[in-house]
């Protein structure tokens, strides 16, 4: 995985990782909203996901990004790197 470790914030039961420009999300909660941001604060993509394992083809250029995953039980923020 290419995730850069970050401090976990209290939030949903969601596990996510990026590999080969594909975001993988295992969501134990119901629906989830994923927002991806550049380090400059620009929104790179909002996505709505359902329950279970979901994948999103990102097609992002190399760099560091922030992913924010919101579910009914909370918010999870983490930085990740695209090679």
């Amino acid at each position: 995985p290419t995730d850069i470790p970050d401090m976990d914030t209290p939030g949903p039961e969601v596990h996510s990782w990026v590999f080969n420009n594909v975001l993988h999300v295992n969501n134990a909660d119901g629906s989830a909203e994923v927002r991806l941001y550049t380090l400059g604060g620009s929104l790179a993509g909002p996505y709505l996901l359902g329950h279970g394992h979901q994948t999103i083809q990102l097609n992002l250029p190399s760099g560091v990004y922030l992913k924010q995953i919101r579910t009914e039980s909370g918010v999870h923020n983490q930085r990740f790197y695209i090679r």
Side-chain angles (χ1 to χ4, degrees):
T2 57
D3 282 340
I4 298 171
D6 198 0
M7 291 178 51
D8 236 357
T9 56
E13 190 61 35
V14 174
H15 301 282
S16 64
W17 64 96
V18 176
F19 184 72
N20 287 337
N21 224 331
V22 176
L23 173 63
H24 296 263
V25 180
N26 281 328
N27 179 16
D29 285 345
S31 61
E33 178 184 20
V34 177
R35 292 181 177 211
L36 305 176
Y37 295 94
T38 66
L39 288 184
S42 298
L43 184 63
Y47 304 94
L48 296 177
L49 301 176
H51 178 78
H53 183 255
Q54 307 281 317
T55 59
I56 300 168
Q57 181 66 48
L58 297 177
N59 297 318
L60 296 172
S62 295
V64 179
Y65 296 86
L66 174 69
K67 65 183 168 197
Q68 180 182 74
I69 302 175
R70 294 176 175 262
T71 68
E72 293 177 8
S73 63
V75 177
H76 176 76
N77 296 297
Q78 188 174 33
R79 291 176 294 180
F80 69 97
Y81 179 74
I82 298 287
R83 293 182 186 190

